[in-house]
Amino acid sequence: MATRNRTEVTEFVLLGLSGRPEMQPIIFEIFLALYLVAVTGNALLVIVAHADSKLQTPMYFLLSKLSCIDISLTTITVPQMLVHTLSVNRTIAFNCCMIQLFSFIAVASMEGHLLATMAYDRYVAICDPLRYSAIVSNRLCVRIMLTSWMTVSLNSLLYTVLVSRLTFCGNLVTHFFCDLTALLQLSCTRPVVNEMLIFTEGVAVVVSPFFFILASYTRVGIAVAHMHSVAALRKALSTCSSHILAVLLLYGSVICMYLRPFTSYDLDRECQVAIFYTVITQMLNPLIYSLRNQEVRDLQWLFRKPCISSNFQCGLQSNKEWQHIS
């Protein structure tokens, strides 16, 4: 349905990953499996973080919230894509598309803010371990998260309102969900205001957590450079490695997707990056943290006697200079 009047666009058609009918069952099976793995892995991390009252530490609190964000992010996009894959009708109502756009931007932005909070947790644990318990607490983490949610929600609302007011020349979205770049491509005129916002206000809200993470790890790097103990150096590197990898996965995808001119938009590349950002990263995050965390890796402790978790807590106390496990 082509149109020169935005008000006539009442629905969009999501073209998906492939227009070949023979590929649809294969795509459905692959992404259903990836989605189930991502949701199950993150759900297990949430269970581990809340299964024992002795594990109600800021580190586990933040890790569980990261898992909830990952579940939300992949759920916003993948289930709808699975339905459209096996359906002839791939339409989505205009209002539903805007809701999906708002939810996706807000949740994706929140993941960056959460990773920045986790970077602060690591900075305090390594650079000021004796005052860690006094500085970092679950209450502080809750306050930071509430402030972050307000910020990213307002940012997402701004983008959604601007996109909804565009004049669209068609309704064929070359993507598997209502992504910002794909919708901007449908504008009859180049949306200069939207592009300027992405490279200014968007950088301030979305990328500023990345700069905060860099600053935190710069301080951590300086502290590690002055360590004379090999054991302390290894523990510091182990503490940060999982988080650093998660940051690289997130912001590498964000930079590829959004921080470049929209004139260079390419469907195949955009879909590949979006798949990595909305499915693969969410599936890898539980694995990344599990490989570096004995309690997540050894889930049998959930079904053992309480003394097992007590022994683990004693182990934490003997290494309390880092205050958390990575």
Side-chain angles (χ1 to χ4, degrees), residues 38-66:
V39 171
T40 302
N42 284 287
L44 285 176
L45 282 181
V46 174
I47 293 173
V48 169
H50 293 85
D52 196 324
S53 59
K54 296 177 181 179
L55 298 183
Q56 303 304 308
T57 63
M59 182 59 233
Y60 276 98
F61 174 83
L62 294 174
L63 184 57
S64 67
K65 300 311 175 187
L66 179 63

Side-chain angles (χ1 to χ4, degrees), residues 83-98:
V83 172
H84 285 179
T85 299
L86 299 182
S87 175
V88 177
N89 183 11
R90 298 185 180 183
T91 60
I92 179 173
F94 183 90
N95 291 337
C96 292
C97 184
M98 294 300 107

Side-chain angles (χ1 to χ4, degrees), residues 8-278:
E8 294 182 8
V9 178
T10 59
E11 61 184 22
F12 292 100
V13 178
L14 300 174
L15 300 182
L17 298 176
S18 175
R20 299 168 58 184
E22 66 275 12
M23 292 296 297
Q24 303 310 311
I26 299 176
I27 293 175
F28 177 86
E29 293 174 359
I30 292 176
F31 279 90
L32 177 60
L34 294 176
Y35 176 72
L36 293 177
V37 171
V39 171
T40 302
N42 284 287
L44 285 176
L45 282 181
V46 174
I47 293 173
V48 169
H50 293 85
D52 196 324
S53 59
K54 296 177 181 179
L55 298 183
Q56 303 304 308
T57 63
M59 182 59 233
Y60 276 98
F61 174 83
L62 294 174
L63 184 57
S64 67
K65 300 311 175 187
L66 179 63
S67 295
C68 291
I69 290 293
D70 285 340
I71 293 174
S72 300
L73 190 60
T74 190
T75 301
I76 289 171
T77 58
V78 176
Q80 176 190 259
M81 185 265 285
L82 293 175
V83 172
H84 285 179
T85 299
L86 299 182
S87 175
V88 177
N89 183 11
R90 298 185 180 183
T91 60
I92 179 173
F94 183 90
N95 291 337
C96 292
C97 184
M98 294 300 107
I99 292 174
Q100 186 181 51
L101 175 65
F102 171 85
S103 303
F104 179 79
I105 295 177
V107 174
S109 301
M110 186 60 197
E111 185 167 8
H113 285 253
L114 185 56
L115 288 176
T117 307
M118 297 174 74
Y120 177 72
D121 171 82
R122 283 155 173 70
Y123 159 73
V124 177
I126 294 177
C127 297
D128 198 0
L130 297 180
R131 296 202 305 146
Y132 176 85
S133 298
I135 297 175
V136 182
S137 64
N138 286 349
R139 178 176 296 182
L140 175 64
C141 294
V142 170
R143 290 178 179 176
I144 293 175
M145 289 194 62
L146 290 177
T147 303
S148 298
W149 271 119
M150 291 179 60
T151 302
V152 300
S153 296
L154 291 174
N155 174 68
S156 180
L157 180 62
L158 174 62
Y159 281 129
T160 304
V161 171
L162 289 175
V163 171
S164 66
R165 295 174 64 85
L166 289 175
T167 300
F168 295 107
C169 292
N171 70 339
L172 299 180
V173 181
T174 53
H175 218 300
F176 60 89
F177 70 98
C178 291
D179 184 47
L180 177 63
T181 53
L183 292 174
L184 291 179
Q185 288 296 309
L186 294 179
S187 176
C188 295
T189 58
R190 183 174 179 181
V192 179
V193 175
N194 299 64
E195 293 186 25
M196 290 180 60
L197 277 173
I198 291 176
F199 285 98
T200 54
E201 189 267 350
V203 169
V205 174
V206 179
V207 184
S208 58
F210 179 67
F211 293 131
F212 180 85
I213 294 171
L214 288 180
S216 298
Y217 277 117
T218 299
R219 296 292 300 273
V220 169
I222 294 174
V224 170
H226 289 84
M227 289 180 179
H228 302 291
S229 170
V230 177
L233 177 61
R234 288 179 178 176
K235 184 172 287 292
L237 294 177
S238 176
T239 298
C240 300
S241 58
S242 301
H243 182 258
I244 291 176
L245 184 53
V247 170
L248 292 176
L249 289 174
L250 171 65
Y251 282 99
S253 303
V254 170
I255 292 173
C256 290
M257 286 183 69
Y258 300 112
L259 299 184
R260 60 185 180 80
F262 291 102
T263 53
S264 61
Y265 182 86
D266 178 77
L267 170 61
D268 293 334
R269 180 184 177 185
E270 290 295 324
C271 286
Q272 291 171 5
V273 175
I275 290 171
F276 187 83
Y277 178 58
T278 60

